[in-house]
Amino acid sequence: MKVNGVSYRTIWRSEADPNQIQIIDQRALPWQWEILTLTTWEAARDAIRDMAVRGAGLIGATAGYGMSLAANAAPVSSMEAWDHWMSAAAQGLKEARPTAVNLAWAVDRQMSLLRTEHELNSRASLAAKEADQIADDDAACCQQLGQHGLELIRSLAEKKTDGEPVRILTHCNAGWLAFVDFGSATAPIYAAHDAGIPVEVWIEETRPRNQGAALTAWELGKHGVPHQIIVDNAGGHVMQHGWVDLVITGTDRVTRTGDVANKIGTYKTALAARDNQVPFYVALPSSTFDWDLVDGVREIPIEERDESEVSMIQGWDSIHQTPGQLRVAPEGSRCRNFGFDVTPARLVDGLITERGICEASESGIASLFSENFENKEN
Amino acid sequence: MKVNGVSYRTIWRSEADPNQIQIIDQRALPWQWEILTLTTWEAARDAIRDMAVRGAGLIGATAGYGMSLAANAAPVSSMEAWDHWMSAAAQGLKEARPTAVNLAWAVDRQMSLLRTEHELNSRASLAAKEADQIADDDAACCQQLGQHGLELIRSLAEKKTDGEPVRILTHCNAGWLAFVDFGSATAPIYAAHDAGIPVEVWIEETRPRNQGAALTAWELGKHGVPHQIIVDNAGGHVMQHGWVDLVITGTDRVTRTGDVANKIGTYKTALAARDNQVPFYVALPSSTFDWDLVDGVREIPIEERDESEVSMIQGWDSIHQTPGQLRVAPEGSRCRNFGFDVTPARLVDGLITERGICEASESGIASLFSENFENKEN
């Protein structure tokens, strides 16, 4: 998407040197704009581990490029030497964020492909092409789901008069910053905006890490999409007063029955949407489905994170012109920090995927992804 | 309630000099403990205006003492001179926070009482007694509603085994800091704790001003009540997992039909309580009822406050050992800051008042406060 009028992805091959990979350092956003250049697989690992890149799609793409950087430097003297080097890189990359499913997936995809090429000297160029392909696939998938979501927004726009905007509420950052481009929850919004449909976005700030206020507001602002930030507490109020036409969020994991795990607070927002008859949609590339799970609330483990994310807050210190942090809870009071919650399928009006929009139910999901249900019936 | 083992009210007559009034400077909490001494009505006005004191009950009590301080200094040379001086004080106090109903109420109560005393020299001591009475009444009212709420908690405790605590969730600060003592939402909690019933409180931090994390956690901690702070987003998750037995909040205004205006986010929390069959109660002194209103969502005006409360956050800067503030939203992104929301009566399981607990409905409220309904039928 655009940043100050220039189109960017979150990860790309350097124009100056195609053996170098560049990323936006997301730790510095929204306060500072910094491009990092990765020249080794270790640098790619560090970028993932230290969260310069984050989000399922982007982590996968960075891992793909990490394997390509490893292949550039791998010894081609013998198959054994190559394998030893590349296995160490694969292992190192996977350990950068062990719970990120896309990370292991991208590493394994590269490794098994490269082993099919018997000419060792050709493997580096093959890895480079494959890394580009992984990134392109991620962007294409998001773009496609954006086109399906666009139709949903278009149908709401048709009910508006006098160019009144379609008002969409979102939670957290399921934006292009979390993928290679377009994003999941934001893809329909960007598609509508770029198609000339007036949209206006309510962004819940998304405590404790404030990815809504910090990242979603930044990226919508840079692309020129009108938006307003509210505290998470205000999401119910704006819906109650009829100021929201549609809610779209992303997700970290969806069960085969349509239960949605997403950033903490999504469940409360979904309850407010249902209470006010505001349609609540979840946008996801189908790689986010967990085909094994049937009961999200019971089966999806919820990460409890460090309490300092609740007791301390990060932001921009305007006086010292530097990122800073403040304590917001008294010393001696314990804080609890649940990272995600589960929104039961009954509160979800639909899932927006790269194959189309479906009901958040086993039969709805099977209507688009039947192959995953046939397997399960074995 | 207790602070480091010593019993405090939020406002009291100085032991050293009964003509001086002392308050806890709440702007410094939870980081610093500061007692301010008020010796003039102007100092009382400033304390209200600058929010050294806040909360309906405490604002009323401070206004009562402000009028007493004014009476101490009023000229007794002539009725006219007295009236001129006291009217100016009354006016000045009322303008400190024009929308605080209890403020005008306490000022007018003093003024009309004092005018019944024809001996000008006796008015100062009458005002002093009346100020004490206003404060005592506020504390007694909260204590009484606490006793009614205690029975509710006791009945939940009886279902527990092995001394398991009753787990109560609250939002914002409806604590003793907002009143003269005991608080509204916290009064049943303190009563249960002091009666030896094990309780544990989930405190929603309550963005944007974080009164839950800053004030409720501080006062429960100082009194020794076990508690845990969560982000507002996590309230649904902890209820979904069965970790909450009861929700109690305070309120800023309740319609005669039981709709509840309270700090922004209360509505989402009430929705989560209902979705998980967690009883949702609202505690209030009956002065909080607005006997004229029937439809809270339509009729209660919601204050939209400065957007800087959302884009900037206050806290404690541990490095510089001083209160500080940080920007948490990008420059150029608009923030909206709705101060309150309305929870419809259908989501409220009961109202805890000084006369007992009733249904949040016209008939329920009339069963305890019939005199206000008879008037309306005229």
Short mmCIF file of all heavy atoms in Angstrom, two decimals, chain A residues 200-259:
data_model
loop_
_atom_site.label_atom_id
_atom_site.label_comp_id
_atom_site.label_asym_id
_atom_site.label_seq_id
_atom_site.Cartn_x
_atom_site.Cartn_y
_atom_site.Cartn_z
N GLU A 200 -15.12 5.10 5.98
CA GLU A 200 -14.55 5.75 7.16
C GLU A 200 -14.40 4.67 8.22
O GLU A 200 -15.32 3.90 8.45
CB GLU A 200 -15.48 6.86 7.66
CG GLU A 200 -14.86 7.70 8.74
CD GLU A 200 -15.71 8.95 9.02
OE1 GLU A 200 -16.62 8.84 9.88
OE2 GLU A 200 -15.47 9.98 8.39
N VAL A 201 -13.23 4.61 8.83
CA VAL A 201 -12.92 3.48 9.71
C VAL A 201 -12.83 3.93 11.17
O VAL A 201 -12.13 4.91 11.49
CB VAL A 201 -11.59 2.82 9.27
CG1 VAL A 201 -11.27 1.61 10.15
CG2 VAL A 201 -11.65 2.42 7.80
N TRP A 202 -13.56 3.23 12.05
CA TRP A 202 -13.36 3.38 13.49
C TRP A 202 -12.30 2.37 13.90
O TRP A 202 -12.46 1.16 13.67
CB TRP A 202 -14.64 3.04 14.26
CG TRP A 202 -15.80 3.96 14.08
CD1 TRP A 202 -16.89 3.74 13.31
CD2 TRP A 202 -16.02 5.23 14.74
NE1 TRP A 202 -17.77 4.79 13.43
CE2 TRP A 202 -17.26 5.72 14.31
CE3 TRP A 202 -15.27 5.97 15.65
CZ2 TRP A 202 -17.79 6.93 14.74
CZ3 TRP A 202 -15.79 7.18 16.08
CH2 TRP A 202 -17.03 7.66 15.63
N ILE A 203 -11.25 2.84 14.52
CA ILE A 203 -10.18 1.94 14.95
C ILE A 203 -10.18 1.84 16.47
O ILE A 203 -9.97 2.84 17.16
CB ILE A 203 -8.80 2.47 14.50
CG1 ILE A 203 -8.75 2.62 12.98
CG2 ILE A 203 -7.68 1.55 15.00
CD1 ILE A 203 -7.51 3.35 12.50
N GLU A 204 -10.43 0.65 17.01
CA GLU A 204 -10.27 0.45 18.45
C GLU A 204 -8.77 0.38 18.75
O GLU A 204 -8.03 -0.35 18.09
CB GLU A 204 -10.99 -0.82 18.90
CG GLU A 204 -12.51 -0.66 18.76
CD GLU A 204 -13.30 -1.84 19.34
OE1 GLU A 204 -12.74 -2.94 19.43
OE2 GLU A 204 -14.48 -1.64 19.68
N GLU A 205 -8.33 1.13 19.76
CA GLU A 205 -6.88 1.25 19.98
C GLU A 205 -6.20 -0.08 20.29
O GLU A 205 -5.05 -0.29 19.96
CB GLU A 205 -6.59 2.25 21.11
CG GLU A 205 -7.13 1.82 22.46
CD GLU A 205 -6.67 2.73 23.61
OE1 GLU A 205 -5.80 3.58 23.43
OE2 GLU A 205 -7.20 2.55 24.72
N THR A 206 -6.95 -1.01 20.93
CA THR A 206 -6.48 -2.38 21.15
C THR A 206 -5.40 -2.49 22.21
O THR A 206 -4.24 -2.82 21.95
CB THR A 206 -6.02 -3.06 19.83
OG1 THR A 206 -6.93 -2.73 18.78
CG2 THR A 206 -5.99 -4.57 20.02
N ARG A 207 -5.80 -2.16 23.44
CA ARG A 207 -4.92 -2.40 24.58
C ARG A 207 -4.73 -3.90 24.76
O ARG A 207 -5.63 -4.66 24.43
CB ARG A 207 -5.56 -1.78 25.85
CG ARG A 207 -5.35 -0.28 25.93
CD ARG A 207 -3.98 0.09 26.46
NE ARG A 207 -3.87 -0.22 27.89
CZ ARG A 207 -2.70 -0.54 28.48
NH1 ARG A 207 -1.58 -0.60 27.79
NH2 ARG A 207 -2.66 -0.78 29.76
N PRO A 208 -3.59 -4.38 25.29
CA PRO A 208 -2.56 -3.53 25.87
C PRO A 208 -1.48 -3.01 24.92
O PRO A 208 -0.81 -2.04 25.26
CB PRO A 208 -1.90 -4.47 26.89
CG PRO A 208 -2.05 -5.82 26.29
CD PRO A 208 -3.38 -5.80 25.57
N ARG A 209 -1.28 -3.60 23.75
CA ARG A 209 -0.13 -3.19 22.95
C ARG A 209 -0.48 -2.11 21.93
O ARG A 209 0.39 -1.61 21.20
CB ARG A 209 0.54 -4.40 22.30
CG ARG A 209 1.30 -5.26 23.32
CD ARG A 209 1.70 -6.62 22.74
NE ARG A 209 2.56 -6.48 21.57
CZ ARG A 209 3.89 -6.38 21.61
NH1 ARG A 209 4.51 -6.42 22.75
NH2 ARG A 209 4.58 -6.24 20.50
N ASN A 210 -1.78 -1.76 21.87
CA ASN A 210 -2.22 -0.62 21.07
C ASN A 210 -1.90 -0.72 19.58
O ASN A 210 -1.63 0.29 18.93
CB ASN A 210 -1.62 0.67 21.63
CG ASN A 210 -2.47 1.25 22.74
OD1 ASN A 210 -3.21 0.52 23.42
ND2 ASN A 210 -2.41 2.55 22.93
N GLN A 211 -2.00 -1.92 19.03
CA GLN A 211 -1.70 -2.07 17.60
C GLN A 211 -2.72 -1.36 16.72
O GLN A 211 -2.41 -1.01 15.59
CB GLN A 211 -1.67 -3.56 17.20
CG GLN A 211 -0.58 -4.37 17.87
CD GLN A 211 -1.09 -5.09 19.10
OE1 GLN A 211 -2.01 -4.61 19.78
NE2 GLN A 211 -0.52 -6.23 19.41
N GLY A 212 -3.93 -1.16 17.24
CA GLY A 212 -4.93 -0.41 16.46
C GLY A 212 -4.50 1.03 16.31
O GLY A 212 -4.37 1.55 15.20
N ALA A 213 -4.27 1.69 17.45
CA ALA A 213 -3.88 3.10 17.43
C ALA A 213 -2.52 3.29 16.75
O ALA A 213 -2.31 4.23 15.99
CB ALA A 213 -3.84 3.66 18.86
N ALA A 214 -1.58 2.39 17.03
CA ALA A 214 -0.22 2.60 16.55
C ALA A 214 -0.06 2.20 15.08
O ALA A 214 0.52 2.95 14.29
CB ALA A 214 0.77 1.82 17.40
N LEU A 215 -0.57 1.03 14.70
CA LEU A 215 -0.27 0.50 13.37
C LEU A 215 -1.40 0.69 12.37
O LEU A 215 -1.18 1.17 11.26
CB LEU A 215 0.10 -0.99 13.48
CG LEU A 215 1.31 -1.29 14.37
CD1 LEU A 215 1.57 -2.79 14.44
CD2 LEU A 215 2.56 -0.56 13.87
N THR A 216 -2.63 0.33 12.77
CA THR A 216 -3.74 0.45 11.82
C THR A 216 -3.98 1.92 11.47
O THR A 216 -4.16 2.26 10.30
CB THR A 216 -5.01 -0.21 12.39
OG1 THR A 216 -4.71 -1.57 12.72
CG2 THR A 216 -6.14 -0.19 11.37
N ALA A 217 -3.96 2.78 12.48
CA ALA A 217 -4.17 4.21 12.20
C ALA A 217 -3.04 4.74 11.31
O ALA A 217 -3.27 5.51 10.38
CB ALA A 217 -4.23 5.01 13.50
N TRP A 218 -1.82 4.30 11.57
CA TRP A 218 -0.69 4.76 10.76
C TRP A 218 -0.86 4.34 9.32
O TRP A 218 -0.76 5.15 8.40
CB TRP A 218 0.63 4.21 11.34
CG TRP A 218 1.83 4.65 10.56
CD1 TRP A 218 2.53 5.81 10.73
CD2 TRP A 218 2.45 3.96 9.48
NE1 TRP A 218 3.56 5.88 9.81
CE2 TRP A 218 3.53 4.75 9.04
CE3 TRP A 218 2.20 2.75 8.83
CZ2 TRP A 218 4.37 4.37 7.98
CZ3 TRP A 218 3.03 2.37 7.78
CH2 TRP A 218 4.10 3.17 7.36
N GLU A 219 -1.16 3.05 9.09
CA GLU A 219 -1.20 2.59 7.70
C GLU A 219 -2.41 3.14 6.95
O GLU A 219 -2.29 3.50 5.77
CB GLU A 219 -1.05 1.07 7.57
CG GLU A 219 -2.11 0.21 8.24
CD GLU A 219 -2.10 -1.24 7.75
OE1 GLU A 219 -2.82 -1.55 6.76
OE2 GLU A 219 -1.39 -2.05 8.34
N LEU A 220 -3.56 3.24 7.61
CA LEU A 220 -4.72 3.83 6.92
C LEU A 220 -4.44 5.30 6.61
O LEU A 220 -4.76 5.80 5.53
CB LEU A 220 -5.99 3.70 7.78
CG LEU A 220 -6.56 2.28 7.95
CD1 LEU A 220 -7.79 2.33 8.86
CD2 LEU A 220 -6.92 1.64 6.61
N GLY A 221 -3.83 5.98 7.58
CA GLY A 221 -3.50 7.39 7.37
C GLY A 221 -2.55 7.60 6.20
O GLY A 221 -2.75 8.47 5.35
N LYS A 222 -1.53 6.78 6.13
CA LYS A 222 -0.53 6.92 5.05
C LYS A 222 -1.14 6.64 3.69
O LYS A 222 -0.74 7.21 2.69
CB LYS A 222 0.65 5.97 5.30
CG LYS A 222 1.54 6.39 6.46
CD LYS A 222 2.20 7.73 6.19
CE LYS A 222 2.98 8.23 7.39
NZ LYS A 222 3.44 9.62 7.23
N HIS A 223 -2.12 5.72 3.65
CA HIS A 223 -2.77 5.41 2.37
C HIS A 223 -3.90 6.39 2.06
O HIS A 223 -4.47 6.36 0.97
CB HIS A 223 -3.30 3.97 2.39
CG HIS A 223 -3.65 3.45 1.03
ND1 HIS A 223 -2.69 3.03 0.12
CD2 HIS A 223 -4.85 3.29 0.39
CE1 HIS A 223 -3.29 2.64 -1.01
NE2 HIS A 223 -4.59 2.79 -0.87
N GLY A 224 -4.23 7.22 3.03
CA GLY A 224 -5.25 8.24 2.79
C GLY A 224 -6.67 7.81 3.11
O GLY A 224 -7.64 8.43 2.65
N VAL A 225 -6.84 6.77 3.92
CA VAL A 225 -8.19 6.31 4.26
C VAL A 225 -8.67 7.04 5.53
O VAL A 225 -8.01 6.98 6.57
CB VAL A 225 -8.21 4.78 4.52
CG1 VAL A 225 -9.62 4.32 4.88
CG2 VAL A 225 -7.67 4.03 3.31
N PRO A 226 -9.82 7.73 5.45
CA PRO A 226 -10.33 8.44 6.63
C PRO A 226 -10.58 7.48 7.79
O PRO A 226 -11.11 6.39 7.58
CB PRO A 226 -11.65 9.04 6.14
CG PRO A 226 -11.56 9.07 4.65
CD PRO A 226 -10.69 7.91 4.28
N HIS A 227 -10.21 7.89 8.99
CA HIS A 227 -10.35 7.01 10.14
C HIS A 227 -10.38 7.83 11.42
O HIS A 227 -9.94 8.97 11.45
CB HIS A 227 -9.19 6.02 10.19
CG HIS A 227 -7.86 6.69 10.38
ND1 HIS A 227 -7.15 7.24 9.33
CD2 HIS A 227 -7.13 6.94 11.50
CE1 HIS A 227 -6.04 7.78 9.79
NE2 HIS A 227 -6.00 7.62 11.10
N GLN A 228 -10.91 7.20 12.48
CA GLN A 228 -10.92 7.82 13.81
C GLN A 228 -10.56 6.75 14.83
O GLN A 228 -11.05 5.62 14.75
CB GLN A 228 -12.31 8.37 14.13
CG GLN A 228 -12.79 9.39 13.10
CD GLN A 228 -14.10 10.04 13.48
OE1 GLN A 228 -14.14 11.05 14.17
NE2 GLN A 228 -15.19 9.46 13.04
N ILE A 229 -9.73 7.12 15.78
CA ILE A 229 -9.32 6.19 16.83
C ILE A 229 -10.24 6.36 18.04
O ILE A 229 -10.52 7.48 18.45
CB ILE A 229 -7.86 6.47 17.26
CG1 ILE A 229 -6.92 6.30 16.06
CG2 ILE A 229 -7.45 5.56 18.42
CD1 ILE A 229 -5.51 6.83 16.33
N ILE A 230 -10.68 5.24 18.61
CA ILE A 230 -11.42 5.27 19.87
C ILE A 230 -10.78 4.28 20.83
O ILE A 230 -10.08 3.36 20.42
CB ILE A 230 -12.92 4.90 19.67
CG1 ILE A 230 -13.06 3.58 18.89
CG2 ILE A 230 -13.67 6.02 18.98
CD1 ILE A 230 -14.50 3.09 18.76
N VAL A 231 -11.03 4.47 22.13
CA VAL A 231 -10.62 3.43 23.08
C VAL A 231 -11.51 2.21 22.85
O VAL A 231 -12.64 2.34 22.35
CB VAL A 231 -10.71 3.91 24.55
CG1 VAL A 231 -9.71 5.04 24.81
CG2 VAL A 231 -12.12 4.35 24.93
N ASP A 232 -11.01 1.04 23.22
CA ASP A 232 -11.77 -0.20 23.03
C ASP A 232 -13.13 -0.10 23.71
O ASP A 232 -14.13 -0.62 23.21
CB ASP A 232 -10.97 -1.36 23.61
CG ASP A 232 -9.56 -1.42 23.03
OD1 ASP A 232 -9.45 -1.58 21.81
OD2 ASP A 232 -8.59 -1.26 23.78
N ASN A 233 -13.17 0.60 24.85
CA ASN A 233 -14.41 0.78 25.60
C ASN A 233 -15.52 1.47 24.81
O ASN A 233 -16.69 1.34 25.15
CB ASN A 233 -14.13 1.61 26.86
CG ASN A 233 -13.57 0.76 27.99
OD1 ASN A 233 -13.88 -0.41 28.09
ND2 ASN A 233 -12.74 1.38 28.82
N ALA A 234 -15.14 2.24 23.80
CA ALA A 234 -16.14 3.05 23.09
C ALA A 234 -16.79 2.31 21.91
O ALA A 234 -17.74 2.81 21.31
CB ALA A 234 -15.51 4.36 22.60
N GLY A 235 -16.30 1.12 21.59
CA GLY A 235 -16.83 0.39 20.44
C GLY A 235 -18.32 0.10 20.56
O GLY A 235 -19.06 0.16 19.57
N GLY A 236 -18.78 -0.22 21.76
CA GLY A 236 -20.20 -0.50 21.95
C GLY A 236 -21.04 0.76 21.78
O GLY A 236 -22.10 0.73 21.15
N HIS A 237 -20.55 1.86 22.32
CA HIS A 237 -21.28 3.12 22.25
C HIS A 237 -21.51 3.57 20.80
O HIS A 237 -22.62 3.98 20.44
CB HIS A 237 -20.50 4.18 23.04
CG HIS A 237 -21.09 5.54 23.00
ND1 HIS A 237 -22.23 5.89 23.71
CD2 HIS A 237 -20.71 6.66 22.33
CE1 HIS A 237 -22.52 7.16 23.48
NE2 HIS A 237 -21.61 7.65 22.66
N VAL A 238 -20.47 3.52 19.98
CA VAL A 238 -20.64 3.99 18.59
C VAL A 238 -21.58 3.08 17.80
O VAL A 238 -22.32 3.55 16.93
CB VAL A 238 -19.28 4.20 17.86
CG1 VAL A 238 -18.49 5.31 18.53
CG2 VAL A 238 -18.45 2.93 17.78
N MET A 239 -21.60 1.80 18.14
CA MET A 239 -22.55 0.90 17.46
C MET A 239 -23.97 1.17 17.94
O MET A 239 -24.92 1.16 17.16
CB MET A 239 -22.18 -0.56 17.74
CG MET A 239 -20.90 -0.97 17.02
SD MET A 239 -20.69 -2.77 17.05
CE MET A 239 -19.08 -2.91 17.77
N GLN A 240 -24.11 1.40 19.25
CA GLN A 240 -25.43 1.64 19.83
C GLN A 240 -26.10 2.88 19.22
O GLN A 240 -27.32 2.97 19.16
CB GLN A 240 -25.24 1.85 21.34
CG GLN A 240 -26.48 1.75 22.18
CD GLN A 240 -26.13 1.94 23.65
OE1 GLN A 240 -25.37 2.83 24.01
NE2 GLN A 240 -26.70 1.10 24.50
N HIS A 241 -25.28 3.83 18.77
CA HIS A 241 -25.83 5.05 18.19
C HIS A 241 -25.94 4.99 16.67
O HIS A 241 -26.19 6.01 16.03
CB HIS A 241 -25.03 6.25 18.68
CG HIS A 241 -25.35 6.56 20.12
ND1 HIS A 241 -26.30 7.47 20.49
CD2 HIS A 241 -24.90 6.00 21.27
CE1 HIS A 241 -26.40 7.48 21.82
NE2 HIS A 241 -25.57 6.60 22.31
N GLY A 242 -25.73 3.80 16.10
CA GLY A 242 -25.96 3.64 14.67
C GLY A 242 -24.86 4.21 13.79
O GLY A 242 -25.09 4.50 12.61
N TRP A 243 -23.66 4.35 14.36
CA TRP A 243 -22.58 4.97 13.60
C TRP A 243 -21.63 3.95 12.98
O TRP A 243 -20.54 4.32 12.51
CB TRP A 243 -21.78 5.92 14.51
CG TRP A 243 -22.60 7.00 15.15
CD1 TRP A 243 -23.75 7.56 14.66
CD2 TRP A 243 -22.36 7.63 16.41
NE1 TRP A 243 -24.24 8.50 15.53
CE2 TRP A 243 -23.40 8.58 16.62
CE3 TRP A 243 -21.36 7.52 17.38
CZ2 TRP A 243 -23.47 9.38 17.76
CZ3 TRP A 243 -21.43 8.32 18.52
CH2 TRP A 243 -22.47 9.24 18.70
N VAL A 244 -22.01 2.69 12.98
CA VAL A 244 -21.16 1.63 12.41
C VAL A 244 -22.02 0.77 11.49
O VAL A 244 -23.09 0.31 11.90
CB VAL A 244 -20.54 0.75 13.52
CG1 VAL A 244 -19.64 -0.32 12.91
CG2 VAL A 244 -19.75 1.60 14.53
N ASP A 245 -21.54 0.54 10.26
CA ASP A 245 -22.29 -0.28 9.31
C ASP A 245 -21.78 -1.71 9.26
O ASP A 245 -22.50 -2.61 8.82
CB ASP A 245 -22.18 0.33 7.90
CG ASP A 245 -22.73 1.74 7.85
OD1 ASP A 245 -23.91 1.92 8.23
OD2 ASP A 245 -21.99 2.66 7.46
N LEU A 246 -20.53 -1.92 9.66
CA LEU A 246 -19.89 -3.21 9.45
C LEU A 246 -18.67 -3.30 10.37
O LEU A 246 -17.97 -2.31 10.55
CB LEU A 246 -19.43 -3.28 7.98
CG LEU A 246 -18.60 -4.46 7.50
CD1 LEU A 246 -19.42 -5.74 7.54
CD2 LEU A 246 -18.12 -4.20 6.06
N VAL A 247 -18.46 -4.47 10.96
CA VAL A 247 -17.20 -4.72 11.68
C VAL A 247 -16.42 -5.76 10.89
O VAL A 247 -16.98 -6.75 10.42
CB VAL A 247 -17.46 -5.26 13.11
CG1 VAL A 247 -16.15 -5.55 13.83
CG2 VAL A 247 -18.31 -4.29 13.92
N ILE A 248 -15.13 -5.50 10.68
CA ILE A 248 -14.24 -6.52 10.09
C ILE A 248 -13.01 -6.63 10.98
O ILE A 248 -12.36 -5.62 11.26
CB ILE A 248 -13.76 -6.19 8.66
CG1 ILE A 248 -14.91 -5.75 7.76
CG2 ILE A 248 -13.04 -7.39 8.05
CD1 ILE A 248 -14.46 -5.44 6.31
N THR A 249 -12.69 -7.83 11.41
CA THR A 249 -11.43 -8.04 12.13
C THR A 249 -10.63 -9.11 11.39
O THR A 249 -11.14 -9.80 10.51
CB THR A 249 -11.65 -8.53 13.58
OG1 THR A 249 -12.07 -9.91 13.56
CG2 THR A 249 -12.69 -7.70 14.31
N GLY A 250 -9.38 -9.26 11.77
CA GLY A 250 -8.58 -10.40 11.33
C GLY A 250 -8.71 -11.51 12.35
O GLY A 250 -9.61 -11.49 13.20
N THR A 251 -7.83 -12.49 12.26
CA THR A 251 -7.86 -13.60 13.20
C THR A 251 -6.52 -14.32 13.22
O THR A 251 -5.77 -14.28 12.24
CB THR A 251 -8.97 -14.61 12.85
OG1 THR A 251 -8.83 -15.79 13.66
CG2 THR A 251 -8.90 -15.02 11.39
N ASP A 252 -6.24 -14.95 14.34
CA ASP A 252 -5.02 -15.77 14.45
C ASP A 252 -5.29 -17.24 14.20
O ASP A 252 -4.40 -17.99 13.85
CB ASP A 252 -4.40 -15.59 15.83
CG ASP A 252 -3.86 -14.19 15.99
OD1 ASP A 252 -4.62 -13.31 16.43
OD2 ASP A 252 -2.69 -13.97 15.65
N ARG A 253 -6.53 -17.67 14.40
CA ARG A 253 -6.85 -19.07 14.19
C ARG A 253 -8.37 -19.22 14.15
O ARG A 253 -9.06 -18.64 14.98
CB ARG A 253 -6.30 -19.92 15.35
CG ARG A 253 -5.98 -21.35 14.91
CD ARG A 253 -5.83 -22.25 16.10
NE ARG A 253 -4.54 -22.16 16.75
CZ ARG A 253 -4.00 -23.19 17.43
NH1 ARG A 253 -4.62 -24.35 17.48
NH2 ARG A 253 -2.85 -23.05 18.06
N VAL A 254 -8.88 -19.99 13.19
CA VAL A 254 -10.32 -20.24 13.08
C VAL A 254 -10.53 -21.75 13.08
O VAL A 254 -9.87 -22.48 12.33
CB VAL A 254 -10.90 -19.61 11.79
CG1 VAL A 254 -12.38 -19.96 11.65
CG2 VAL A 254 -10.72 -18.10 11.81
N THR A 255 -11.45 -22.22 13.92
CA THR A 255 -11.74 -23.66 13.95
C THR A 255 -12.55 -24.06 12.71
O THR A 255 -13.12 -23.21 12.02
CB THR A 255 -12.58 -24.04 15.19
OG1 THR A 255 -13.87 -23.41 15.08
CG2 THR A 255 -11.89 -23.58 16.47
N ARG A 256 -12.64 -25.36 12.46
CA ARG A 256 -13.41 -25.85 11.31
C ARG A 256 -14.90 -25.56 11.48
O ARG A 256 -15.69 -25.70 10.54
CB ARG A 256 -13.17 -27.34 11.09
CG ARG A 256 -13.54 -28.21 12.27
CD ARG A 256 -12.99 -29.63 12.14
NE ARG A 256 -13.80 -30.49 11.30
CZ ARG A 256 -13.44 -30.93 10.09
NH1 ARG A 256 -12.29 -30.58 9.58
NH2 ARG A 256 -14.23 -31.72 9.40
N THR A 257 -15.28 -25.15 12.70
CA THR A 257 -16.68 -24.82 12.98
C THR A 257 -16.93 -23.31 12.97
O THR A 257 -18.05 -22.87 13.18
CB THR A 257 -17.06 -25.37 14.37
OG1 THR A 257 -16.08 -24.86 15.31
CG2 THR A 257 -17.04 -26.88 14.40
N GLY A 258 -15.87 -22.52 12.78
CA GLY A 258 -16.05 -21.08 12.64
C GLY A 258 -15.82 -20.25 13.89
O GLY A 258 -16.08 -19.05 13.90
N ASP A 259 -15.33 -20.87 14.98
CA ASP A 259 -14.94 -20.07 16.15
C ASP A 259 -13.65 -19.33 15.82
O ASP A 259 -12.76 -19.88 15.19
CB ASP A 259 -14.70 -20.97 17.37
CG ASP A 259 -15.97 -21.64 17.88
OD1 ASP A 259 -17.07 -21.16 17.56
OD2 ASP A 259 -15.86 -22.66 18.59
#
